[in-house]
């Protein structure tokens, strides 16, 4: 008699249970589907009534509006701060921002899925015109170059655009390179290998930094943008916080980091560089050509940027000024504005932009978008609100530009 | 020996024979069928839906033969010709996925064998629950853990240690990656993600080895180890390979966790420490930029088609080999 001719008892049970179980399973699936349908219906109904509830119930004559925004994660906390304060002034208007990324902000504004698109990098004027969009700067931000090199005798190394471009391109690989030494006379530099870090995600900071390299060194290839084909082997990190963490654990490392992360980078024991202006790229040794990212110096650069373009535009990511009377380098075209008025512009400054349509689908809602932006760049931009995200207030020159641009928006049918 | 006609339930052993099971009545069947049959088609429709829309959105733009090359270069300003070498990313994915799979498969086999053969039922069940728990942890949690906790430790300790002991093996030589991010860390994280699926599939295929065969082996005087090696593993071979393919599919498809720890360098890394990238993580990295640059979006969509194809292929092979989704046929009475 061989073993296992009969199916084990458990097999019997399960076989005889088959139809019953199947029946139960069918009932189970049926119940689950029914629950899902009911929940969906309840959700839609709830949403519908919520919407109805938000609308004025006859007593008031004003219509309610919800202004939607998506885009830059750098702008998001600032808008989140502004939104409730604006609603307390205009109870019928709600602002609903979302931090998704500058690319998503541009795409949302182009396709009209949101009323405002937030971005760290300007939208090219030619593309903006194609979609009837305008770049409206709402604050000034800047970028710092941090390094992990403990034990230096100075608190800020002097670095210029040419040197930075050569570091990231791999043309300078050690900290005691003669070009770095020339910009830092008297500083004893170690022979440590330089590890340049970059952002792995799409980033306005990458846009600014590659612009700086592009303008500063003729050997820079591959252009500039929110993404860049970095030299192989260099490590990339997610977000500014990733850059801070990564640089902290990379001795000899160097990284470009948004000024919003100044405190967290300093707390991690990192130091930042004074950046050279355009003259420093030519003659790296003059200490007067190296500028620290103080609020005053950053504001000067924003003004310089605005005034350097003819016709006036804010579609800039940075400007390399610093040679009085000479041609200043600006992305998208050079200008010849004298820089005497703004002698110490910090060269790694940018504007935070909101993209809005000049020919909106809903002009009566757009009226409040314009009102909101006018408020956000003037009385809404209080010092504590800006300081909490390390932004600087727009200069009067940029506000003037904005107000004029906003007046071109169609706000009635 | 009891002869049982096929398709008919076997009456249960016991004093009172249960009433014959009621089959679906003729009046109920059409309604149930009518309701449930379309639902059964949903998985097929979902896959087709994804594939068709990706194909449609990509418009199958032809980037030239360099699309299948091993060089990647993208100029955002559009001044220089772009090269979207998808093969580079597939190779990079394999460089990370294959070692992770090898280690995970070894671990899983050891666990599956001990659960099925050596452990008493209770600890075996606990071990199963714990392994399944690993599968339930969202991958972004592994990513955060990897880049906040593990990366500095890998840079300062693990990499130098491995380099010190095994640096003579090709691929394990220097230079090291000081920040700790790189292929090695990605491999380590991926092991956690592959182990649950490979263990589950291996366990079930070892379990489905007919008892007759095992008992016959034991009756002939073979030790448990010999039975394991020469009967269980041999019979369950297909299932074990299936588990490996499913694990490989999981490893190649993971994006977020890998993206957070692998270091985003686009090249074929010279060693296991160096920062690198994978097809899935690269798509994740470039997502926001692709809204700026339409050409990049086209390329990413075509990348994701390649990834989809890879994942579907590996899963089909894995499921077919492991018998997942097909009825497990228990053959009784046939001697070895």
């Amino acid at each position: 008699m061989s073993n296992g001719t009969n199916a084990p008892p458990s097999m019997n049970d399960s076989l005889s249970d088959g139809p019953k179980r199947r029946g139960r399973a069918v009932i189970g699936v049926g119940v689950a589907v029914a629950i899902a349908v009911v929940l969906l219906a309840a959700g839609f109904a709830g949403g519908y009534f919520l919407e109805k509830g938000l609308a004025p119930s006859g007593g008031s004559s004003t219509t309610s509006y919800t202004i939607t925004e998506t885009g830059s994660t750098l702008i998001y906390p600032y808008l989140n701060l502004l939104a409730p304060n604006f609603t307390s002034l205009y109870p019928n208007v709600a602002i609903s921002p979302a931090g998704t990324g500058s690319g998503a902000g541009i795409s949302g504004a182009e396709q009209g899925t949101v009323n405002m698109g937030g971005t760290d990098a300007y939208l090219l004027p030619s593309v903006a015109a194609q979609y009837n969009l305008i770049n409206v700067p709402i604050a000034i931000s800047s970028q710092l170059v941090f390094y992990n090199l403990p034990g230096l005798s100075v608190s800020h190394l002097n670095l210029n655009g040419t040197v930075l471009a050569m570091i990231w391109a791999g043309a300078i690989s050690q900290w005691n390179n003669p070009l770095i030494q020339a910009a830092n006379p008297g500083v004893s530099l170690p022979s440590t290998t330089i590890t340049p870090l970059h952002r792995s995600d799409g980033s306005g900071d990458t846009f600014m930094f590659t612009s700086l390299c592009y303008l500063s060194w003729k050997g820079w290839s591959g252009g500039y943008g929110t993404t860049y084909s970095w030299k192989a082997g260099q490590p990339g990190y997610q977000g500014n916080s990733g850059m801070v963490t990564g640089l902290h654990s990379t001795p000899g490392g160097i990284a470009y980091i948004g000024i919003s992360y100044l405190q967290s980078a300093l707390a991690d024991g990192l130091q930042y560089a004074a950046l050279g202006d355009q003259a420093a790229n030519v003659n790296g040794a003059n200490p007067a050509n190296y500028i620290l990212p103080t609020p005053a110096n950053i504001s000067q650069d924003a003004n310089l940027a605005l005034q350097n373009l003819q016709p006036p535009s804010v579609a800039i990511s940075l400007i390399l000024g610093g040679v009085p009377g000479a041609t200043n380098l600006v992305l998208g075209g050079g200008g010849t504005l004298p820089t005497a008025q703004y002698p110490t512009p910090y060269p790694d400054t940018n504007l935070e932009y909101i993209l809005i349509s000049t020919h909106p689908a809903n002009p009566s809602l757009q009226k409040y978008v314009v009102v909101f932006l006018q408020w956000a760049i003037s009385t809404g931009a209080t010092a504590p609100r800006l300081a909490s995200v390390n932004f600087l207030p727009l200069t009067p020159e940029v506000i003037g530009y904005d107000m004029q641009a906003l007046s071109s928006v169609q706000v009635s049918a | 020996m009891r002869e049982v006609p096929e398709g008919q339930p076997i009456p249960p052993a016991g004093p009172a024979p249960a009433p014959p099971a009621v089959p679906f009545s003729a009046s109920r069947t059409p309604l149930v069928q009518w309701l449930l049959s379309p639902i059964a088609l949903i998985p097929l429709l979902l896959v087709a839906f994804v594939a068709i829309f990706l194909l449609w959105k990509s418009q199958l733009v032809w980037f030239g033969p360099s699309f299948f090359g091993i060089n990647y270069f993208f100029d955002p300003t559009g001044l220089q010709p772009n090269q979207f070498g998808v093969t580079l990313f597939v190779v990079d994915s394999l460089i990370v996925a294959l070692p992770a799979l090898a280690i995970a498969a070894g671990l899983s086999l050891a666990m599956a064998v001990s659960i099925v053969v050596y452990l008493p039922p209770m600890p075996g069940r606990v071990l199963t629950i714990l392994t399944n728990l690993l599968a339930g942890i969202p991958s972004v949690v592994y990513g955060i853990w990897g880049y906040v906790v593990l990366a500095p430790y890998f840079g300062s300790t693990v990499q130098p240690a491995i380099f010190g002991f095994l640096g003579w093996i090709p691929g394990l030589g220097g230079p090291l990656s000081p920040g700790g991010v790189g292929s090695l860390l990605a491999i380590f994280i991926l092991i956690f993600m592959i182990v649950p699926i490979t263990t589950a599939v291996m366990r079930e295929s070892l379990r489905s080895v007919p008892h007759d065969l095992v008992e016959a082996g034991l009756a002939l005087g073979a030790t448990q180890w010999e039975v394991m090696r020469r009967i269980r593993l041999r019979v369950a071979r297909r299932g074990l390979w299936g588990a490996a393919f499913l694990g490989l599919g999981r490893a190649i498809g993971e994006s977020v966790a890998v993206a957070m720890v692998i270091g985003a360098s686009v090249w074929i890394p010279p060693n296991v420490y160096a920062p690198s990238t994978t097809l899935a993580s690269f798509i994740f990295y470039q997502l926001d930029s692709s809204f700026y640059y339409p050409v990049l979006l086209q390329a990413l969509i075509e990348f994701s088609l390649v990834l989809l194809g890879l994942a579907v292929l590996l899963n089909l092979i894995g499921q077919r080999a492991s018998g997942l989704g097909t009825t497990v046929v228990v053959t009784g009475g046939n001697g070895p």
Side-chain angles (χ1 to χ4, degrees):
Chain A
M1 189 85 182
S2 78
N3 223 355
T5 342
N6 293 334
S10 63
M11 186 64 77
N12 287 349
D13 287 348
S14 71
L15 276 176
S16 70
D17 265 2
K20 222 193 291 174
R21 282 201 181 166
R22 244 174 282 156
R24 260 186 247 147
V26 170
I27 293 170
V29 170
V31 169
V33 169
I35 291 176
V37 168
V38 168
L39 282 179
L40 266 177
F44 283 128
Y48 176 75
F49 287 118
L50 211 65
E51 204 111 301
K52 287 237 122 178
L54 281 178
S57 48
S60 141
S61 60
T62 48
T63 323
S64 286
Y65 296 102
T66 300
I67 298 174
T68 54
E69 187 269 352
T70 195
S72 161
T73 50
L74 209 57
I75 300 178
Y76 172 71
Y78 185 55
L79 288 181
N80 234 357
L81 212 60
L82 295 179
N85 290 292
F86 185 74
T87 301
S88 65
L89 294 174
Y90 295 85
N92 62 324
V93 183
I95 314 270
S96 157
T100 49
S102 293
I106 288 186
S107 158
E110 284 177 353
Q111 287 160 19
T113 53
V114 287
N115 308 119
M116 306 192 291
T119 170
D120 310 328
Y122 66 85
L123 184 61
L124 276 173
S126 55
V127 182
Q130 193 185 329
Y131 290 95
N132 291 321
L133 295 172
I134 48 171
N135 290 293
V136 181
I138 63 158
I140 299 175
S141 177
S142 67
Q143 185 177 71
L144 274 52
V145 173
F146 280 92
Y147 49 88
N148 181 347
L149 214 56
L152 288 183
S153 58
V154 286
S155 43
H156 304 287
L157 274 182
N158 290 337
L159 297 172
N160 58 53
T162 307
V163 165
L164 292 174
M166 290 174 82
I167 289 176
W168 262 267
I172 292 180
S173 57
Q174 285 179 315
W175 278 106
N176 60 358
N177 183 283
L179 282 173
I180 303 180
Q181 190 66 70
N184 296 277
V187 180
S188 140
L189 291 162
S191 62
T192 318
T193 304
I194 306 179
T195 307
L197 275 55
H198 64 82
R199 286 281 292 277
S200 56
D201 49 340
S203 158
D205 279 305
T206 299
F207 192 100
M208 285 174 74
F209 188 74
T210 50
S211 302
L212 179 67
C213 295
Y214 175 83
L215 289 179
S216 305
W217 187 45
K218 288 211 158 47
W220 185 259
S221 76
Y224 53 90
T226 62
T227 181
Y228 178 79
S229 296
W230 301 102
K231 185 179 184 307
Q234 294 174 354
Y237 289 87
Q238 287 281 109
N240 274 314
S241 60
M243 291 285 261
V244 173
T245 315
L247 185 59
H248 178 69
S249 52
T250 308
I254 184 166
Y256 56 90
I257 294 169
I259 196 169
S260 305
Y261 286 77
L262 175 63
Q263 278 84 9
S264 93
L266 291 177
D268 261 3
L270 305 173
Q271 290 173 300
Y272 60 88
L275 294 191
D277 57 18
Q278 195 194 338
N281 289 331
V282 184
N283 171 22
N286 186 355
N289 293 329
Y290 290 89
I291 298 154
L292 282 170
T294 61
N297 293 344
I298 294 168
S299 298
Q300 282 191 24
D301 195 60
N303 276 337
L304 197 59
L306 178 71
Q307 301 200 0
N308 208 53
L309 285 175
Q310 297 296 330
S313 165
V314 286
I316 51 101
S317 61
L318 78 141
I319 182 168
L320 283 169
V323 184
T327 301
N328 295 302
L329 294 170
V330 185
L331 274 182
T336 51
L337 201 90
T339 55
Q341 204 180 342
Y342 310 110
T344 55
Y346 178 71
D348 208 359
T349 299
N350 78 320
L351 300 170
E352 297 295 326
Y353 301 93
I354 296 286
L355 292 167
I356 61 166
S357 172
T358 51
H359 295 67
N362 183 353
S364 43
L365 181 146
Q366 200 73 354
K367 191 172 92 185
Y368 286 99
V369 172
V370 169
V371 170
F372 168 72
L373 289 174
Q374 285 168 341
W375 172 81
I377 59 174
S378 54
T379 50
T382 62
R385 286 177 199 157
L386 286 162
S388 72
V389 288
N390 282 302
F391 285 169
L392 288 173
L394 294 178
T395 59
E397 291 89 336
V398 182
I399 293 175
Y401 172 89
D402 272 357
M403 292 298 184
Q404 196 172 358
L406 287 171
S407 67
S408 71
V409 176
Q410 185 189 353
V411 291
S412 59
Chain B
M1 207 187 237
R2 196 160 42 163
E3 286 297 320
V4 180
E6 210 172 341
Q8 198 154 314
I10 304 163
V22 186
F24 285 113
S25 69
S27 64
R28 266 170 63 201
T29 308
L31 178 66
V32 169
Q33 259 182 5
W34 186 79
L35 275 175
L36 292 187
S37 304
I39 293 180
L41 283 176
I42 285 178
L44 177 70
L45 290 177
L46 286 180
V47 174
F49 197 71
V50 172
I52 288 169
F53 272 82
L54 282 179
L55 277 170
W56 178 52
K57 275 284 174 191
S58 78
Q59 298 165 335
L60 287 179
V61 173
W62 173 239
F63 292 110
S66 70
F67 181 79
F68 294 104
I70 54 159
N71 289 309
Y72 177 85
F73 178 80
F74 172 65
D75 182 353
T77 49
L79 296 175
Q80 287 157 278
N82 298 320
Q83 288 178 294
F84 301 107
V86 75
T87 310
L88 169 70
F89 298 102
V90 174
V91 170
D92 280 345
S93 299
L94 289 175
I95 286 177
V96 174
L98 286 176
L101 175 68
I103 298 169
L107 279 173
S108 293
L109 189 60
M111 276 200 282
V113 165
S114 51
I115 289 171
V116 171
V117 184
Y118 294 102
L119 285 179
M122 200 47 203
R125 231 169 286 155
V126 172
L127 194 57
T128 304
I129 291 172
L130 288 178
T131 333
N132 290 345
L133 207 65
L134 283 180
I137 297 176
S139 57
V140 69
V141 174
Y142 286 118
I144 286 274
W145 176 59
Y147 120 87
V148 175
V149 181
L150 294 181
Y153 181 66
F154 265 60
S156 65
T157 313
V158 177
Q159 287 189 7
I162 294 181
F163 177 68
F165 286 111
L166 303 169
W168 49 272
I169 300 175
L172 296 180
L176 305 181
S177 159
V181 293
S183 307
L184 186 67
L185 186 51
I187 290 170
F188 186 77
I189 295 275
L190 275 179
I191 291 171
F192 285 84
M193 302 185 161
I194 308 174
V195 158
I197 184 156
T198 45
T199 309
V201 176
M202 285 181 174
R203 198 181 55 225
E204 290 318 307
S205 20
L206 283 179
R207 272 213 185 115
S208 69
V209 172
H211 252 271
D212 312 359
L213 301 179
V214 173
E215 285 175 18
L218 290 174
L220 287 173
T223 62
Q224 274 285 14
W225 174 245
E226 283 166 333
V227 169
M228 169 58 60
R229 213 161 51 88
R230 308 184 71 156
I231 297 177
R232 284 192 203 261
L233 290 185
R234 192 161 295 181
V235 174
R237 201 174 48 219
R238 272 169 63 96
L240 300 178
W241 277 108
F245 275 98
L246 289 174
L248 192 59
R250 177 90 179 82
I252 285 187
E254 179 52 45
S255 56
V256 177
V258 172
M260 291 169 92
V261 299
I262 199 168
S265 191
V266 180
W267 61 338
I268 291 179
N271 61 46
V272 79
Y273 314 107
S276 177
T277 184
T278 64
L279 187 54
S281 62
F282 188 75
I283 293 172
F284 175 77
Y285 288 142
Q286 299 295 323
L287 202 57
D288 194 60
S289 291
S290 71
F291 289 119
Y292 273 84
Y293 310 111
V295 180
L296 186 60
L297 183 60
Q298 294 288 339
L300 287 196
I301 294 173
E302 291 182 18
F303 278 11
S304 57
L305 275 170
V306 172
L307 186 59
L308 179 71
L310 266 178
V312 167
L313 186 72
L314 290 172
N315 263 283
L316 284 181
I317 295 175
Q319 293 203 24
R320 209 178 136 64
S322 65
L324 263 189
T326 59
T327 326
V328 177
V329 183
V330 179
T331 51
N334 302 324

